[in-house]
């Protein structure tokens, strides 16, 4: 690996825009003005020196000119001061009531027996929170279902006789339209599902589990085929699969990073990424959600420190709580300019984005090979379980040898592997492509309708995750209750998954929703919005600046 | 205090507020300024930036044997389906029915419509089976204990753990960021010394949570934890116990309830029991069992529980069916323990190998007697032996470890598992094959340890 010496501006000349000549010293700046703007659709030609050593002599590396990229971080309307204040006040009142309640009544919870003199097991605030705040909305979470989580689902109704301290089943069932499950492409199917014949055969052939790790006796031809197919699907050399998506991150990242490595991590990254980085013992710096400028600032500072072995940007494709899509083209350009590495978690985007369902790389027009590590899960779009890491053959070998999953975690269940394989193959048939298109159509329709209602939604137009901000805990619960009464199952998300005052309702669209179902949902949501006063948006519908 | 006397209350507060305003605004302007600081990469200084590539160098990995191609005509003594429930008709039928009803994936974490009635069923059945108040089911065996530990143990806490705990426990301890002390394997005197020392140094005090972590049967050694003494020590020094019963639930005890049943230790002495569905139950997943007080907590703070899709319903149904079988035919547990015992006596007659593993344990580790080899050579020798045995129709595996990541990497060994399908004949076949292979093959140094 010979070190290449680049004279700062020359090496990356194509990326300098005419309106920022001050980034370089004058002479070179002028010289360059002539040959700027070689962008095609925000896609930057690779001009950097891949993986070699880079030395920037005086003159330095110019900053990115972001005007050439789509850096739209997703729609994030700020709430009014009044709303914020009321949300906080509401929360404090709840807390105060909880506090009084705690003083007066004995909570109806199990306590620890025979452990006198031991340190208390739980953090007092956590306990307080779960008893007096979370409990009030407990009926909105963990709701049991007794059917396929498809376009519709069957809720098992629960009731509580003691203000949500405990629940009992009423014995009733309620059929609801499902806007809560991550069933983007509609592969959660009951009897007669498109993938079932294959899955049955796999169960008969291989059983339900191999009871061994991949490196020991847990590999089958099915796993190998799945890995090959996944790699081909994503357009990279190789892939490896793990039986759990969460585990793919927590067991894979430690193989890639170590002490002395820096991870630049998005503020809204999933728990599995955060845990993986912690287990890897990498230093983590957090940049503001989807903010490439902040990322650039951190990255430049880190490069200048000159002490990191690797600097890896860790981002997700679609953020499940924000509904926003990563500005991937911009990140790839940045990573190339500064010679960084990119780890992309496509849990919610693979299958759901891109003209042919290849995920956010296709959506952003980035070559898959430009992302160093592609990770994703099969739980969502493919209606299965587990996750993959894909990339160059060299990378996959490395992760097999140094990641933890291949050596220690039991291999993926054969029927699950077969489900993914069948779904992936189906996706390239006309019927499968129709699913991808349908999802997009449904997403656009639903987002459009919500926007017209004047509610605050987050994220990008193409993202199938549609969060609707309601701010307070109580409105979240009220909305979920009312929507259920209208036969719509959806989820509310609040603290700790979001900031305390940013509770939201999250709708997940699916290709299996029919227009009639969505119309019914829209009607119901409109009613609830009017009843509860959720139309917080101050932007007039037609003035919203969402990129088409 | 004098200040309060001089000024009246109101002006005292004005002062405080004014001070706050000053501090906050300076901070605000300061941070504004800072964000416009000069950019070091653009300012003349030469910067050298030599990141190592994401893949540091090429690695070759050992190709594992492909099951499914071979397991119809080989005897598998490497995978941990002790009760041989993996192709049981009853279980497969149940799973396929569940497939029709629920599809494959659950498409969401437990909080968001991923709780399916079979999950609740399984939790209830497991609780009844183990005679505990509550259980919670995870979707992956590895993540069960690796998530359970950090949901209780936090940064300021202290953990005492056996030095031979398996990798998932080590990762759980890492994730908790607690102080950790590893005591000598199964050595209760060492543990007691450590605890006494910690108490002397006030590292154990009533404000600091302290945990004892062990496995009932050790995956890495096949030895059984001296649970009675362990519990005594925990009570004496006021530590909570997290016990991994992955290899003992569905294996030992009259009803298969694990080591607590076998040694007659009351289950509420163990604060948290962690089990796996990936061994005897022959499906995927894991569970935690204990009191409401302990287990409920994980439903809000077990990372792998909250932030991962729930176990696919058909695999959940498989665990329920497996429980049906274990509950209705406890005699299969006796059969298994009989075979584990026989295996021990057969292995003790091996010419070229030593072995480790208690009589009741379903896993045994077989080591080379030859002592003058490096670990790497031993690994490749064992690997060649397993390859030889595979050709002769017996599938076994060299225990896979990440040598440089393990806290205390065990010596290379072949991990044999006993299972209900073994007979006197097959056991003696395995033993003679091992000795034969030893003589026929040698170490191949070019093979890399995994
Ligand atoms: C970004 C991201 N990564 C990983 C996961 C975990 O995947 P799984 O549910 O398959 O464990 C999720 C799931 O919610 C996710 O959103």
């Amino acid at each position: 690996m010979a070190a290449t010496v680049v004279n700062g501006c020359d090496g990356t000349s194509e990326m300098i825009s005419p309106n920022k000549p001050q980034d370089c010293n004058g002479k070179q700046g002028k010289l360059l003005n002539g040959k700027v703007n070689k962008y095609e659709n925000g896609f930057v030609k690779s001009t950097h020196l891949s993986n070699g050593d880079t030395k920037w002599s005086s003159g330095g590396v110019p900053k990115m000119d972001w005007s050439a990229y789509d850096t739209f971080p997703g729609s994030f309307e700020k709430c009014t001061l009044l709303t914020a204040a009321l949300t906080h006040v509401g929360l404090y009142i709840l807390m105060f009531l909880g506090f009084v309640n705690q003083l007066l009544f004995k909570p109806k919870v199990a306590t620890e027996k025979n452990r006198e003199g031991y340190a208390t097991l739980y953090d007092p605030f956590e306990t307080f929170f779960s008893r007096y705040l979370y409990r009030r909305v407990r009926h909105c979470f963990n709701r049991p279902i007794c059917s396929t989580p498809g376009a519709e689902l069957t809720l098992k109704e629960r009731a509580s006789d003691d203000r949500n301290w405990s629940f009992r089943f009423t014995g009733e069932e309620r059929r609801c339209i499902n806007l809560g499950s991550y069933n983007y492409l509609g592969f959660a199917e009951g009897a007669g599902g498109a993938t079932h014949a294959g899955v049955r055969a796999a169960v008969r052939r291989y059983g339900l589990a191999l009871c061994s790790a991949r490196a020991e006796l847990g590999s089958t031809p099915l796993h190998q085929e799945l890995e090959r197919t996944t790699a081909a699907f994503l357009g990279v050399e190789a892939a490896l699969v793990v039986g759990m998506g969460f585990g793919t991150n927590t067991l894979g990242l430690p193989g890639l990073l170590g002490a002395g490595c820096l991870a630049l991590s998005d503020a809204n990254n999933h728990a599995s990424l955060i845990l993986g980085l912690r287990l890897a013992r990498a230093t983590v710096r957090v940049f503001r959600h989807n903010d490439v400028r902040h990322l650039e600032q951190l990255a430049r500072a880190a490069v200048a420190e000159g002490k990191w072995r690797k600097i890896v940007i860790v981002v997700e494709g679609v953020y499940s709580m924000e509904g926003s899509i990563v500005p991937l083209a911009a990140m790839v350009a940045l990573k190339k300019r500064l010679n960084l590495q990119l780890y992309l978690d496509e849990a919610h985007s693979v299958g759901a984005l891109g003209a042919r369902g290849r995920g956010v790389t296709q959506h952003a027009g980035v070559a898959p090979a430009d992302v160093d590590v592609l990770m994703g899960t099969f739980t969502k779009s493919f209606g299965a379980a587990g996750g993959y890491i894909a990339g160059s053959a060299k990378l996959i070998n490395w992760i097999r040898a140094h990641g933890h999953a291949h050596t220690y975690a039991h291999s993926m269940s054969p029927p699950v592997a077969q489900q993914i394989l069948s779904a992936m193959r189906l996706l390239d048939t006309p019927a499968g492509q129709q699913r991808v298109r349908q999802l997009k159509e449904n997403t656009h329709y639903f987002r459009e309708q919500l926007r017209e209602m004047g509610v605050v939604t987050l994220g990008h137009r193409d993202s199938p995750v549609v969060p609707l901000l309601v701010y307070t805990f109580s409105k979240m619960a009220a909305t979920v209750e009312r929507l259920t009464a209208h036969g719509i199952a959806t989820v509310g998300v609040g603290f700790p998954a979001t900031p305390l005052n940013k509770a939201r309702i999250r709708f997940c669209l699916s290709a299996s929703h029919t227009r009639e179902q969505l119309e019914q949902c829209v009607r119901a949501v409109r009613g609830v919005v009017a009843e509860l006063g959720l139309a917080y948006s101050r932007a007039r519908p037609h003035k919203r600046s969402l990129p088409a | 205090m004098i200040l309060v006397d001089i000024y009246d209350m109101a002006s005292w507060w004005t002062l405080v507020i004014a001070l706050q305003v000053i501090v906050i605004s300076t901070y605000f302007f300061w941070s504004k300024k800072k964000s416009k600081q000069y950019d070091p990469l653009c300012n003349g200084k030469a910067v050298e930036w030599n990141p190592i590539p994401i893949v540091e160098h090429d690695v070759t990995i050992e190709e594992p044997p492909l099951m499914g191609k071979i397991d119809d005509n080989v005897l598998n003594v490497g995978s941990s389906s002790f009760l041989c429930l993996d192709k049981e008709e009853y279980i497969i039928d149940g799973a396929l029915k569940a497939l029709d009803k629920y599809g494959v994936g659950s498409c969401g974490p437990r909080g968001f419509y991923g709780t399916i009635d079979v999950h609740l069923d399984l939790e209830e059945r497991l609780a009844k089976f183990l005679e505990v108040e509550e259980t919670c089911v995870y979707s992956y065996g590895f993540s069960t204990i690796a998530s359970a530990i950090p949901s209780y143990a936090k940064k300021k806490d202290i953990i005492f753990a056996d030095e031979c705990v398996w990798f998932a426990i080590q990762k759980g301890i890492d994730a908790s960021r607690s102080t950790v002390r590893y005591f000598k394997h199964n050595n209760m005197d060492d543990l007691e010394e450590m605890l006494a020392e910690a108490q002397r140094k006030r590292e154990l005090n009533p404000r600091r949570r302290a945990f004892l972590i062990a496995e009932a049967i050790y995956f890495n050694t096949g030895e059984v934890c001296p649970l009675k003494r362990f519990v005594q020590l925990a009570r004496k020094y006021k530590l909570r116990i997290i016990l991994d019963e992955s290899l003992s639930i569905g294996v030992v005890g009259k009803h298969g309830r694990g080591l607590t049943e076998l040694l007659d230790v009351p289950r509420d002495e163990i604060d948290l029991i962690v089990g796996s569905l990936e061994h005897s139950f022959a499906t995927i997943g894991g569970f935690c069992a204990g009191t409401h007080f302990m287990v409920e907590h994980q439903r809000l703070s077990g990372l792998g529980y909250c932030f991962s899709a729930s176990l696919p319903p058909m695999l959940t149904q498989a665990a329920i069916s497996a429980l049906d079988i274990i509950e209705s035919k406890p005699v299969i547990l006796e059969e298994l323990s009989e075979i584990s015992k026989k295996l021990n006596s057969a292995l003790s007659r091996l010419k070229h190998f030593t072995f480790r593993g208690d009589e009741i344990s379903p896993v045994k580790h077989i080591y080379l007697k030859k002592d003058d080899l490096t670990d790497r050579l031993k690994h490749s020798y064992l690997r060649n032996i397993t390859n030889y045995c595979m050709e002769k129709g017996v599938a076994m595996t060299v225990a896979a470890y990440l040598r440089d990541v393990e806290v205390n990497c065990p010596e290379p060994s072949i991990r044999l598992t006993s299972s209900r399908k073994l007979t006197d004949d097959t056991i003696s076949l395995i033993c003679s094959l091992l000795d034969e292979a030893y003589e026929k093959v040698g170490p191949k140094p070019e093979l890399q340890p995994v």
Side-chain angles (χ1 to χ4, degrees), chain A residues 54 60 112 115 118 121-122 143 145 148 182 191 200 205 219 278 300 309 338 379 383 394 408 410 490, chain B residues 39 41 49 52 58 67-68 100-101 105 107 111 113 115 117 140 175 209 235 240 271 293 309 402 406:
Chain A
T54 315
E112 202 170 23
R115 298 289 185 272
Y118 286 59
L121 193 53
Y122 305 131
R143 297 158 109 197
I145 66 172
T148 318
Y182 308 126
R200 282 172 177 278
R205 176 77 188 85
S219 297
R278 188 195 291 176
R300 292 178 76 94
R309 296 168 63 221
L338 293 177
T379 321
K394 219 170 133 177
Y408 294 101
H410 277 201
T490 178
Chain B
D39 184 90
L41 283 193
W49 162 231
I52 49 176
D58 270 329
M67 305 312 290
D100 278 341
K101 183 158 183 216
C107 286
Y113 302 106
T115 303
D117 50 3
Y140 211 38
R209 284 175 288 244
R235 294 296 88 91
R240 292 190 174 85
D271 292 81
F293 177 79
L402 293 174
E406 287 266 358

Side-chain angles (χ1 to χ4, degrees), chain B residues 30-31 39 42 47 55 71 96 110 116 141 181 284-285 325 347 351 370 379 396 399 408 432 441 450:
Chain B
W30 194 263
S31 57
D39 184 90
C42 250
V47 180
V55 180
D71 56 357
L96 289 179
R110 287 291 293 267
I116 298 175
R181 303 277 150 75
I284 300 285
I325 294 179
L347 291 177
K351 269 186 279 172
K370 208 173 155 78
H379 178 91
M396 48 179 97
N408 170 34
S432 59
V441 302
V450 188

Side-chain angles (χ1 to χ4, degrees), chain A residues 182 244-246 249 270 272 316 320 345 347-348 375 377 379-380 386, chain B residues 307-309:
Chain A
Y182 308 126
M244 181 198 201
F246 185 93
N249 279 331
H270 190 252
S272 59
E316 290 179 28
S320 60
D345 180 338
H348 291 266
M375 178 270 166
T377 70
T379 321
K380 283 100 191 178
Chain B
F307 295 103
S308 175

Side-chain angles (χ1 to χ4, degrees), chain A residues 370-383:
Chain A
D370 280 341
V371 180
D372 298 84
V373 190
L374 285 165
M375 178 270 166
T377 70
F378 299 122
T379 321
K380 283 100 191 178
S381 296
F382 299 99

Side-chain angles (χ1 to χ4, degrees), chain A residues 325-368:
Chain A
I325 301 176
V326 68
L328 192 66
M331 296 229 171
V332 168
L334 175 69
K335 128 194 159 130
K336 285 186 173 174
R337 173 162 304 183
L338 293 177
N339 203 356
L340 313 176
Q341 289 145 357
L342 183 60
Y343 185 102
L344 174 67
D345 180 338
E346 292 221 63
H348 291 266
S349 55
V350 65
L353 286 188
R356 296 179 61 227
R358 265 38 177 192
V360 72
T361 47
Q362 193 171 45
H363 178 80
V366 167

Side-chain angles (χ1 to χ4, degrees), chain B residues 196-206 208:
Chain B
E197 166 103 14
Q199 195 161 50
R200 242 194 340 275
K201 286 196 197 151
R202 300 198 159 264
E203 283 178 327
L204 285 177
N205 61 52
R208 190 181 199 188

Side-chain angles (χ1 to χ4, degrees), chain A residues 159-174:
Chain A
S160 175
D161 304 322
D162 50 5
R163 295 174 180 276
N164 285 358
W165 287 110
S166 66
F167 293 102
R168 60 177 169 78
F169 286 109
T170 60
E172 279 166 45
E173 290 178 358
R174 181 193 286 275

